[in-house]
Amino acid sequence: MIRDIEQIRSFFPYLQSADSGGRTLIYFDNAATTQKPRIVINAVSRWLVDANANVHRAVYGLAATATEHYEAGREAARALINAASKDEIVLTSGTTASINLLANVYGQRYIKPGDEILLSEGEHHSNLVPWQMLCERTGARLRYFPVGEDGQWDLEAAEKILAEGKVRMVSAAHISNVLGIVNPVGELTALAHRYGAHIHLDGAQGIVHAGIDVQSIPCDFYSFSGHKIYAMTGTGVLYGRRSLLETLPPWMGGGEMVDTVTYGKTTYADIPLRFEAGTPNFLAAATLRPAIDFATSVRIPQVHKNEEEMTEYLMRELNSIGGMRIIGSGGKKVPLISFNVEGVHHSDIATLLDKMGIAVRSGQMCSEPLLNKFGQTGAVRVSLAAYNTMRECEAFIAALHRVLKMLK
Amino acid sequence: MAETEKTVKQVQQEIVDEFSAFGDWMDKYEYLIELGHSLPVIDERKKLEDRLIKGCQSRVWLDSEYRDGRLWFTADSDAIITKGIISLLIRVYNGRTPEEILSADNSFIEEIGLRENLSPTRANGLLSMMEQIREDALRYKDR
Ligand SMILES: Cc1ncc(COP(=O)(O)O)c(C=O)c1O
């Protein structure tokens, strides 16, 4: 049992480290990637020694061990989102890879000229560009439903577009990496299905701050990245409902994804291996298990309460700064806040905060259309994880005041 | 002595000496911010898309003019620290011949403790700015 945040911090070597001046660093860019707990770091170094053999191929013991670890990663991902079967979990290198895979195989099977794909205005480039590419290839049309001034979805507008009857696929973020609001994905899923469309949810941030049960919110597809929930980089998941996933053709061809191959013709493996051509990043994928175990173990009331308090504190303190513009102020806010201060450039703020040992994100955050919609060329973003503390938030706010004094 | 009567190396050394007087990063960045505010800005009409340097988190425009065998730069950015850094570059390279620019090195940036601004991922795109200056020099080299 986890006792408190201090105990959680003790699991992360990075959080114990300090810079050359003996200062502990504040890491507030968790939406980009999280630091890694010791169980993940140790697992990788141990498995490199005692479980490094190619998976799903050979009969010797070492290969069986490696395959077990890899498949345990898949099972952990299944359990995390409560998928009905492990076969519905395709292991990828990240959310981006998941969505590219989906856009390609789904497009091949289901998209014809004149069909429509519906996204929200608040999508990460990873959930926008692959669909744009698909539309260019197939003659389908990309539509967007609006995000309001406060960052919340306009579901009525979404429904109007769906009611025109041409949308085959809806794809939208569970939580936007800029707005930090838990979107009403259950309602959107119901809407999509009512009008005969399929739905994919980009869960890169949602898996971290909201979690999903794909049986109670019956989306057709759900993507997320392992590295944002404490697993190694190069890990990701595409969940697909079995009845639909089974209808999709493969994308990349190669080893592992086949049933039988002759010089003339190949028949393909069943799901999910059909979509996992070549040697996967099996060691990284295996870390999904310890990482998800860890992520699950910190889903305790104390951590929730801490995150809520930090979010509330940051929103209040930021809002009290003159010229503050928070992008995504409405709805159910998670500890992921993007902002600008009038007359000050986001990169100047981030540069000076870095000098004070605080890592925040600045720039377009892979969401150029969304920021442009809000009249911004970029923004500063703070995003917290289970190991961040109120003390760090206070230090950040104090540092921000100092920075603004220098810049104004 | 006008800046251009000194060698590139001399001007760089002057900047290094100025920066070595600063006690900590705060003083250094405050100075950069001050420099940023005093940078004579680019003519609005020259803020053209093709003079916008790509790869910067802040937008940077750099324009050059070639007169009597020498290059003259004007620049602007929407980020003030970036502007401060540009003003250092302009101080070093303004009024130089293409040959002088092409044979210069930029280790002074490291010496004044702004090395982190040279990393390829760095937002203010100092590297791209220097590339642009060199590209302009190359363009006029054989005129
Ligand atoms: C909402 C959202 N979608 C997609 C991605 C892309 O994830 P990855 O870079 O791990 O493929 C991210 C990551 O920043 C994200 O926040």
Side-chain angles (χ1 to χ4, degrees):
Chain A
M1 265 302 279
I2 305 268
R3 284 191 318 270
D4 53 22
I5 311 294
E6 279 313 312
Q7 190 190 10
I8 293 175
R9 291 180 73 78
S10 73
F11 298 146
F12 288 81
Y14 175 80
L15 302 178
Q16 315 303 310
S17 66
D19 69 0
S20 51
R23 186 174 55 171
T24 45
L25 298 161
I26 297 182
Y27 184 74
F28 273 6
D29 193 17
N30 294 286
T33 199
T34 56
Q35 298 305 326
K36 309 305 172 209
R38 204 171 279 111
I39 38 166
V40 167
I41 298 167
N42 291 350
V44 173
S45 57
R46 198 173 62 243
W47 291 337
L48 273 167
V49 175
D50 69 17
N52 180 42
N54 211 326
V55 292
H56 290 303
R57 294 172 194 206
V59 295
Y60 50 84
L62 189 62
T65 308
T67 305
E68 274 165 29
H69 288 314
Y70 182 64
E71 290 301 320
R74 195 190 307 277
E75 169 55 26
R78 184 210 64 75
L80 181 66
I81 63 173
N82 195 30
S85 155
K86 206 155 87 69
D87 298 342
E88 298 178 316
I89 304 293
V90 181
L91 295 174
T92 69
S93 66
T95 306
T96 306
S98 296
I99 300 175
N100 276 278
L101 169 65
L102 177 63
N104 274 278
V105 299
Y106 182 87
Q108 227 187 97
R109 174 73 172 77
Y110 290 103
I111 297 296
K112 302 178 305 303
D115 285 346
E116 292 181 350
I117 294 160
L118 178 61
L119 314 180
S120 89
E121 285 179 337
E123 300 308 315
H124 188 283
H125 294 167
S126 292
N127 191 32
L128 194 167
V129 183
W131 301 111
Q132 237 170 21
M133 290 163 76
L134 173 64
C135 287
E136 274 166 21
R137 253 190 339 267
T138 57
R141 179 174 173 217
L142 203 52
R143 307 274 311 261
Y144 299 91
F145 65 90
V147 163
E149 264 307 295
D150 63 354
Q152 301 202 71
W153 281 354
D154 182 345
L155 283 179
E156 272 176 37
E159 178 161 15
K160 277 204 189 101
I161 297 173
L162 283 161
E164 292 171 27
K166 290 190 187 152
V167 176
R168 304 285 326 222
M169 172 64 100
V170 178
S171 185
H174 190 173
I175 296 176
S176 144
N177 62 305
V178 173
L179 304 168
I181 297 168
V182 184
N183 288 315
V185 289
E187 277 143 283
L188 187 68
T189 300
L191 271 181
H193 287 164
R194 187 178 318 146
Y195 292 96
H198 292 130
I199 180 164
H200 161 257
L201 298 174
D202 170 356
Q205 303 301 334
I207 200 73
V208 182
H209 295 292
I212 184 103
D213 176 337
V214 294
Q215 299 194 59
S216 69
I217 293 181
C219 56
D220 301 294
F221 301 98
Y222 194 91
S223 303
F224 63 92
S225 300
H227 70 94
K228 294 181 198 284
I229 41 162
Y230 312 105
M232 274 289 290
T233 34
T235 55
V237 166
L238 173 65
Y239 157 79
R241 192 158 43 79
R242 177 191 283 277
S243 56
L244 194 52
L245 199 59
E246 275 177 337
T247 67
L248 300 178
W251 179 30
M252 288 209 282
E256 298 243 35
M257 49 76 72
V258 295
D259 176 19
T260 65
V261 182
T262 69
Y263 288 119
K265 176 147 182 69
T266 295
T267 56
Y268 302 115
D270 286 336
I271 61 166
L273 292 189
R274 184 191 302 169
F275 305 106
E276 296 178 10
T279 300
N281 192 352
F282 56 87
L283 280 172
T287 67
L288 282 170
R289 192 183 51 139
I292 288 173
D293 282 351
F294 171 78
T296 313
S297 75
V298 298
R299 283 198 172 157
I300 51 173
Q302 254 164 306
V303 170
H304 282 304
K305 186 161 161 279
N306 187 43
E307 289 194 349
E308 265 172 34
E309 283 170 3
M310 290 189 297
T311 309
E312 209 176 285
Y313 168 81
L314 288 173
M315 288 294 279
R316 189 174 63 240
E317 289 296 320
L318 288 172
N319 270 320
S320 73
I321 291 171
M324 176 59 58
R325 168 94 193 263
I326 290 176
I327 304 163
S329 52
K332 187 161 178 278
K333 194 83 182 157
V334 300
L336 185 167
I337 305 173
S338 303
F339 65 90
N340 270 313
V341 181
E342 209 181 298
V344 181
H345 198 271
H346 44 87
S347 85
D348 288 329
I349 294 178
T351 300
L352 295 179
L353 285 173
D354 173 49
K355 288 277 140 198
M356 300 185 188
I358 302 175
V360 301
R361 181 71 183 273
S362 64
Q364 295 181 334
M365 295 177 281
C366 304
S367 303
E368 195 177 345
L370 177 64
L371 282 159
N372 288 347
K373 175 194 156 75
F374 284 102
Q376 315 285 321
T377 59
V380 182
R381 180 183 71 192
V382 294
S383 55
L384 312 185
Y387 45 64
N388 289 121
T389 63
M390 185 61 102
R391 236 193 1 255
E392 290 177 309
C393 293
E394 287 162 1
F396 159 73
I397 291 291
L400 181 62
H401 280 287
R402 258 177 94 192
V403 162
L404 291 175
K405 219 166 113 199
M406 284 178 75
L407 290 169
K408 273 188 159 170
Chain B
M1 201 161 45
E3 297 282 7
T4 48
E5 286 169 34
K6 302 171 196 160
T7 63
V8 167
K9 264 256 161 306
Q10 280 171 328
V11 178
Q12 290 180 342
Q13 191 55 49
E14 273 178 19
I15 295 175
V16 171
D17 292 343
E18 279 168 31
F19 271 77
S20 68
F22 295 130
D24 63 2
W25 71 268
M26 277 272 284
D27 295 341
K28 199 151 65 186
Y29 275 80
E30 264 165 3
Y31 180 56
L32 278 178
I33 291 166
E34 201 183 299
L35 287 177
H37 284 302
S38 61
L39 180 72
V41 295
I42 198 168
D43 185 340
E44 279 296 321
R45 281 167 309 177
K46 290 200 167 151
K47 279 192 180 176
L48 299 173
E49 196 59 31
D50 69 327
R51 297 307 298 183
L52 183 63
I53 294 177
K54 295 275 187 294
C56 296
Q57 215 178 77
S58 45
R59 286 184 298 172
V60 178
W61 296 266
L62 183 74
D63 191 54
S64 63
E65 257 179 62
Y66 186 64
R67 286 196 312 269
D68 309 327
R70 292 170 185 278
L71 278 144
W72 302 88
F73 298 96
T74 47
D76 199 3
S77 171
D78 46 6
I80 197 72
I81 295 170
T82 310
K83 269 174 89 167
I85 294 173
I86 303 176
S87 87
L88 292 177
L89 288 181
I90 290 186
R91 181 166 150 202
V92 171
Y93 292 113
N94 232 6
R96 302 285 169 193
T97 64
E99 289 74 18
E100 279 178 296
I101 292 173
L102 291 169
S103 62
D105 79 51
N106 276 305
S107 48
F108 83 103
I109 297 282
E110 211 157 320
E111 282 181 59
I112 61 180
L114 294 178
R115 193 178 62 88
E116 69 263 31
N117 294 292
L118 286 171
S119 110
T121 61
R122 212 54 190 188
N124 56 36
L126 182 53
L127 273 182
S128 338
M129 264 187 271
M130 291 190 318
E131 255 164 50
Q132 185 67 53
I133 289 176
R134 290 176 67 85
E135 246 174 58
D136 288 353
L138 259 182
R139 194 146 39 89
Y140 293 112
K141 186 167 159 275
D142 298 318
R143 290 263 175 106

